[in-house]
Amino acid sequence: MTSTDSAQQPADAPAKAPAKDPWDLPDVSGLGVGVLGGTGPQGKGLAYRLARAGQKVIIGSRAAERAQAAAEELGHGIEGADNAECARRSDIVIVAVPWEGHGKTLEALREDLVGKLVVDCVNPLGFDKKGAYALKPEEGSAAEQAAALLPDSRVTAAFHHLSAVLLEDPEIDEIDTDVMVLGEVRADVEIVQALAGRIPGMRGIFAGRLRNAHQVEALVANLISVNRRYKAHAGLRVTDV
């Protein structure tokens, strides 16, 4: 018997299942989305776009009154609550807080975020007279810091490269960009991809595990330089996908 013969499968071996279509994503239209830091430009922009697409959205803030005021301003059925209530009432929780308060915010909400799908979109950046530059947290990235602080949550990373100006502009119907999504569990990543795809013009693209989050977060410093040079609101498109 040749080596080729020995590698052949028996005639009655079960057929190999076809590869899953990477664009076969789940229906997430019924999931509630909370946005921690939803009173800041990025958080408000994401809340507005998702609610406008038909998603149930709750804005979170340290002060419930501030969140409620922002929600009323945005409309589209958005609600406002303090961060803890926002986390508890949501299926998916987007973290859009300033980097300086990232660790303390998540540490305080550890119990409220148990079992939740957490989407970290925080970019650790510094600024000096030369412009923006990437910071590298001790854990490797903001997303990895979130995973370390939230051991009982399902942490992913996404929505880093979006322009808050475009997100908040009601005159713009589509946001022409791709969203890099990272995570350890493919099913969780696909939920976030599908959520990104709810916003007209966007696609969610699988971009690896959380250990690769640093360079995705860091790229925002480059986009800030692009925007300043070209007076633009640059996004990202992945070709041939």
Side-chain angles (χ1 to χ4, degrees):
M1 182 180 287
T2 66
S3 59
T4 301
D5 292 333
S6 64
Q8 292 177 347
Q9 288 187 329
D12 59 350
K16 187 177 181 181
K20 183 180 182 294
D21 181 351
W23 296 112
D24 181 14
L25 300 173
D27 178 8
V28 298
S29 59
L31 299 179
V33 179
V35 185
L36 304 179
T39 57
Q42 194 79 355
K44 283 177 69 176
L46 279 168
Y48 171 69
R49 286 293 159 180
L50 289 169
R52 182 168 159 173
Q55 213 75 33
K56 179 182 177 181
V57 177
I58 303 173
I59 281 178
S61 176
R62 285 178 296 178
E65 297 80 5
R66 188 178 176 197
Q68 290 159 0
E72 185 175 342
E73 175 191 342
L74 293 173
H76 294 278
I78 297 172
E79 298 180 51
D82 63 46
N83 281 331
E85 182 182 348
C86 173
R88 288 194 300 267
R89 292 177 55 196
S90 303
D91 302 300
I92 304 171
V93 180
I94 297 174
V95 181
V97 300
W99 166 242
E100 293 75 16
H102 181 263
K104 288 184 178 179
T105 299
L106 295 184
E107 193 170 17
L109 296 172
R110 179 179 294 153
E111 295 302 317
D112 302 298
L113 290 169
V114 169
K116 304 293 184 177
L117 176 52
V118 175
V119 187
D120 201 297
C121 68
V122 175
N123 302 304
L125 297 176
F127 296 86
D128 60 18
K129 63 182 180 181
K130 295 182 180 180
Y133 60 94
L135 304 175
K136 190 158 187 178
E138 182 180 345
E139 298 85 354
S141 64
E144 288 170 294
Q145 183 183 86
L149 291 172
L150 304 173
D152 297 315
S153 302
R154 297 142 55 205
V155 177
T156 61
F159 300 117
H160 301 89
H161 305 139
L162 306 182
S163 163
V165 173
L166 298 184
L167 289 173
E168 291 189 275
D169 189 340
E171 300 300 316
I172 294 175
D173 294 324
E174 295 190 3
I175 307 293
D176 181 25
T177 194
D178 286 333
V179 173
M180 309 286 273
V181 185
L182 305 97
E184 299 302 315
V185 179
R186 185 63 59 89
D188 291 340
V189 170
E190 290 180 349
I191 290 172
V192 181
Q193 286 180 260
L195 185 66
R198 295 274 289 161
I199 301 174
M202 284 192 194
R203 298 186 305 172
I205 304 289
F206 171 67
R209 294 179 178 268
L210 289 184
R211 68 180 183 181
N212 293 320
H214 170 67
Q215 57 264 35
V216 173
E217 297 168 1
L219 185 60
V220 175
N222 302 90
L223 291 177
I224 290 172
S225 297
V226 170
N227 290 337
R228 287 181 175 175
R229 173 64 170 154
Y230 297 99
K231 304 297 187 287
H233 302 292
L236 181 71
R237 276 294 188 200
V238 179
T239 62
D240 199 32
V241 174

